[in-house]
Amino acid sequence: EAVVMIRAPKEFIVESSDFEMKENIALFNGNLKTDKIFTAVLKSNPMPPLITGRYLDGRQSVVIYFNRDIAANEAEDGLNYEIEDLNVQVPEVTDKAFVKAVGHVGNKIVLHLEGMSEQPGEKYEITLKNLQDNNGIYTEPDPLKFMVAQEGVFAEDIGGPAE
C-alpha cells in the first residue's frame, strides 16, 4: 500500500482529482499495481484568515493566533490595533489602554500594552484592521473585533489574601 501526501503552506489550497483533499493537504492512500502520474495544483486560499486563539496575558499583552501566517508589514503596525475598556465589571474606572509595541512571528501576534489598571473580570474590546495573510487576503470583517477579559488573580497577588 502506498501513501502520497502533499502539504502546502496554509495560504494555499490543493486541487486534484488524484488525491483526497483537506484544504492545504492532499492525500493518496491505496495500492499501486502500475506506474501512476499524480497531478495537483496549488491555488491561493480565497478564505480570509481566521482567529484560532486569543487571550489577555495579565495586564501586559494580548496574544492572538490565526489559522495561517499574517503579512509582517500590517501585523507589525501598531496603528492597526485599538483596545477599549468596556466598563462591564468596574464601570467607575475607564482604562485608556493602548498598544505600545507589537510582536509578530508567523501566525502569532502579541500586542504589548500600556495603561491598563487591575480590574479582575473587566472586559475589553480589541479592534484589528488592515490585517492580511501572505497572499493579500484580508481578515473579514475588516475591522475585526473581539473581546478579552482580565483574570481574577495577578502574579503579584499570589501568596497574599485576596482583597
Side-chain angles (χ1 to χ4, degrees), residues 13 23 44-50 67-68 133 137-138 140:
I13 56 173
E23 292 187 9
S44 293
N45 188 337
M47 301 304 293
L50 302 174
N67 65 336
R68 58 180 176 261
D133 69 11
I137 308 296
Y138 284 89
E140 287 183 11

Side-chain angles (χ1 to χ4, degrees), residues 65-151:
Y65 291 96
F66 287 86
N67 65 336
R68 58 180 176 261
D69 291 354
I70 300 298
N73 287 345
E74 289 77 14
E76 295 169 5
D77 185 346
L79 297 175
N80 286 335
Y81 308 96
E82 295 173 8
I83 180 167
E84 179 184 350
D85 185 344
L86 295 177
N87 288 326
V88 173
Q89 291 293 103
V90 189
E92 63 274 8
V93 178
T94 301
D95 287 336
K96 299 295 182 201
F98 63 93
V99 176
K100 71 174 180 175
V102 179
H104 167 250
V105 177
N107 70 331
K108 179 182 178 182
I109 297 173
V110 180
L111 307 177
H112 301 281
L113 307 175
E114 283 283 327
M116 186 179 289
S117 62
E118 185 174 336
Q119 299 180 55
E122 185 59 273
K123 295 180 181 175
Y124 300 84
E125 183 176 72
I126 309 296
T127 301
L128 315 175
K129 56 187 176 181
N130 302 322
L131 298 184
Q132 58 183 306
D133 69 11
N134 289 329
N135 286 331
I137 308 296
Y138 284 89
T139 59
E140 287 183 11
D142 186 19
L144 178 61
K145 297 181 181 206
F146 62 86
M147 259 191 311
V148 293
Q150 283 192 24
E151 295 293 325

Side-chain angles (χ1 to χ4, degrees), residues 4-10 12 14 22 24-27 42:
V4 178
M5 182 171 68
I6 298 172
R7 183 184 308 250
K10 290 182 180 180
F12 296 93
V14 182
K22 301 274 190 199
N24 65 316
I25 298 173
L27 182 66
L42 296 180

Side-chain angles (χ1 to χ4, degrees), residues 13-19 21 23 26 39-44:
I13 56 173
V14 182
E15 291 185 352
S16 174
S17 59
D18 298 320
F19 293 90
M21 312 308 301
E23 292 187 9
T39 59
V41 176
L42 296 180
K43 293 187 173 185
S44 293

